[in-house]
Amino acid sequence: AAEATTFTSSARKMAFLITTAVLMAVIPSSRAFQIPATLSVRGYARPRTTESENKASIVYTKPSSSWALGMATWSNGQAIQEYKDFLATGKLELEKEDDGPSVIVQSSNPSNIIPLTDAINGLGNGDDVILTPNDSLPPSLGGKTSYPIYITLPPYDLKEFIQNLNDDWKARAEDFVFFSGTKICGVVEPILREFGMCRDAMTQVVVGFTLPPPGSGLGGVARNPECMACNIGVDAQGDIKWAGESQACGKWNGAVAGRLDAYGIRCKTVFYREWRRAMWERALYDAVWNLIGAVRVEDTDHADVAMFFDVEASDMMWELVNNLRGGLAVTLIYGFEDRLLSIAEMRGKDEPCELIDEMFDHLQNVFPGSCVMLNEYLNYAKDRRGLLQGAKVPPVPTELSELPSLIKTGNLRANGVI
């Protein structure tokens, strides 16, 4: 009926706009709303899909008149409100601070000190101060009363740290620098959001560099981190496309970028909204690759998953991406599959696929909505492989006796082909 409808007057066009607005207002926020790809109305562009583009991408042909309506997928109103808030700031370019002496906060429990502490310290100039949450912050560093405070705590210690901040630490909260990404740092957005720390001014970093363990370098010290960014070709404008690069947002984004750039680690400085997309893209990789590879009996690394189980990885990623759009108003940038597969192929060799009990709530159990395929694999890992025994894995309607693919055991494919 919509295809056959013809609008011949501006009054009818306005009526259509009003009707569409009403429909969008009453549709539940957790559902995405799309104009059907078959919609054809006089005065509108008729959408078509190209084979070279993703199935969710729509290309509109030039309309026959100067008046046209272009609509894409709508998620809940949070994304629209965040964009309005961004426009209200009037900021067109990022404000950047220089790197300098900083405070690095590590766990007071020696068993919970993670390689991120040594990594950030190793990227400095030797004038950083390493403290625990029980220590007092120095009034100034390098002659400055304001300096970055790198929070290198494991995510399972982060909530307790924020809850127990004393007044001196609370007064310096705007100088905190939080990290996300990799199976060491995970996703900390739910914790930060609980305390109102997910905002434009808060400095956050997506980790795009290695985190060598203690004693991995000469003389028993940790090796310096290495850049994990991947050059995956050029775009239509001839610019290099990168995957897996570090990204920083917030007050100290320039200081973070300067610290990483000094050691050849790419770091993109962005606004919070763009950073959030990059963070969830990395979360997708950490959750999916580790899970799909860990359910196998044989040791499997990230490169194996990209090479032999890309179909399973793609299916699981799309399930999670759809839930992100509807549940958290996060829409990943086109081409995320290509970027994540490139990271695994180029940087995933000898990177083991692991499921860590303490990180379950910060890696796999962070996605909104009903993640059926993810939960099936998680239950298989727990019930059949004996993994995640200390984690509360979401139940599935029926017990999964076999995986939905041929990746359980044997060769990389169960058809005898390695």
Side-chain angles (χ1 to χ4, degrees):
E3 290 181 348
T5 304
T6 303
F7 294 96
T8 59
S9 68
S10 59
R12 290 186 178 182
K13 293 173 184 176
M14 184 59 69
F16 179 79
L17 285 173
I18 295 173
T19 302
T20 303
V22 172
L23 286 173
M24 289 168 56
V26 300
I27 290 176
S29 62
S30 61
R31 293 290 185 90
F33 173 68
Q34 284 186 304
I35 288 184
T38 56
L39 179 65
S40 178
V41 181
R42 181 178 299 176
Y44 285 77
R46 181 181 180 86
R48 59 181 172 82
T49 305
T50 62
E51 293 181 356
S52 62
E53 295 194 11
N54 186 276
K55 60 185 178 181
S57 300
I58 296 177
V59 179
Y60 288 88
T61 57
K62 186 176 180 180
S64 58
S65 70
S66 60
W67 185 87
L69 171 68
M71 281 193 174
T73 302
W74 288 80
S75 10
N76 63 37
Q78 179 183 340
I80 300 173
Q81 185 59 48
E82 287 180 352
Y83 187 60
K84 288 181 179 178
D85 294 340
F86 164 70
L87 294 177
T89 65
K91 294 182 180 179
L92 298 180
E93 295 186 4
L94 290 166
E95 299 175 357
K96 298 183 179 180
E97 300 279 355
D98 294 332
D99 187 27
S102 307
V103 164
I104 302 173
V105 181
Q106 68 177 10
S107 176
S108 55
N109 183 351
S111 62
N112 286 354
I113 296 176
I114 57 178
L116 180 63
T117 302
D118 285 339
I120 298 301
N121 187 43
L123 294 172
N125 296 318
D127 50 8
D128 296 326
V129 178
I130 299 179
L131 303 177
T132 71
N134 301 323
D135 297 324
S136 298
L137 291 170
S140 64
L141 279 178
K144 297 181 179 179
T145 57
S146 181
Y147 47 81
I149 302 174
Y150 293 99
I151 310 300
T152 64
L153 302 172
Y156 41 85
D157 280 355
L158 188 57
K159 184 174 182 178
E160 182 181 0
F161 163 72
I162 298 176
Q163 284 178 328
N164 295 324
L165 290 174
N166 60 35
D167 292 340
D168 291 339
W169 283 77
K170 287 180 180 178
R172 302 298 305 277
E174 66 176 13
D175 294 319
F176 290 173
V177 180
F178 295 102
F179 294 87
S180 298
T182 75
K183 53 192 173 187
I184 291 177
C185 300
V187 176
V188 299
E189 178 178 293
I191 300 173
L192 299 185
R193 186 171 295 278
E194 181 180 347
F195 296 96
M197 290 185 169
C198 283
R199 55 182 186 271
D200 291 339
M202 185 60 65
T203 308
Q204 298 190 69
V205 183
V206 174
V207 176
F209 49 88
T210 60
L211 298 174
S216 57
L218 296 176
V221 299
R223 298 196 317 269
N224 279 336
E226 298 175 2
C227 185
M228 296 294 286
C230 307
N231 180 338
I232 59 174
V234 297
D235 58 20
Q237 287 74 39
D239 297 326
I240 296 177
K241 295 190 297 184
W242 293 95
E245 63 183 337
S246 301
Q247 298 200 29
C249 69
K251 176 180 178 179
W252 294 106
N253 66 84
V256 173
R259 178 169 291 230
L260 299 184
D261 289 343
Y263 284 82
I265 299 174
R266 286 186 58 85
C267 183
K268 186 177 180 181
T269 55
V270 295
F271 286 105
Y272 171 65
R273 294 175 65 254
E274 184 177 352
W275 178 90
R276 192 171 181 234
R277 292 192 185 98
M279 184 274 291
W280 279 109
E281 182 173 306
R282 178 68 204 202
L284 203 66
Y285 177 86
D286 295 330
V288 172
W289 256 257
N290 283 295
L291 176 56
I292 289 179
V295 297
R296 285 177 41 80
V297 174
E298 292 80 6
D299 293 337
T300 305
D301 61 30
H302 289 195
D304 292 332
V305 175
M307 183 71 70
F308 300 100
F309 313 125
D310 56 311
V311 175
E312 290 83 357
S314 180
D315 289 345
M316 190 177 294
M317 284 193 296
W318 273 106
E319 176 186 69
L320 301 180
V321 163
N322 290 333
N323 289 339
L324 282 175
R325 184 170 58 244
L328 295 178
V330 175
T331 300
L332 300 190
I333 301 299
Y334 171 75
F336 69 88
E337 280 182 292
D338 183 35
R339 290 191 294 273
L340 297 185
L341 284 166
S342 297
I343 293 172
E345 292 169 357
M346 300 172 68
R347 299 286 186 259
K349 188 64 178 174
D350 298 325
E351 178 64 30
C353 299
E354 299 175 303
L355 293 178
I356 306 169
D357 287 28
E358 294 82 5
M359 292 299 296
F360 171 72
D361 286 330
H362 311 285
L363 286 177
Q364 284 81 27
N365 196 29
V366 293
F367 296 92
S370 177
C371 307
V372 178
M373 185 177 181
L374 177 75
N375 291 339
E376 286 178 343
Y377 273 69
L378 287 172
N379 278 271
Y380 186 92
K382 184 171 186 177
D383 298 338
R384 302 286 175 171
R385 294 282 290 112
L387 304 172
L388 298 175
Q389 295 302 300
K392 295 181 179 179
V393 176
V396 290
T398 57
E399 184 179 357
L400 192 67
S401 58
E402 294 291 338
L403 284 175
S405 68
L406 299 176
I407 71 171
K408 180 179 61 172
T409 187
N411 291 327
L412 291 174
R413 279 292 182 189
N415 56 6
V417 179
I418 299 180

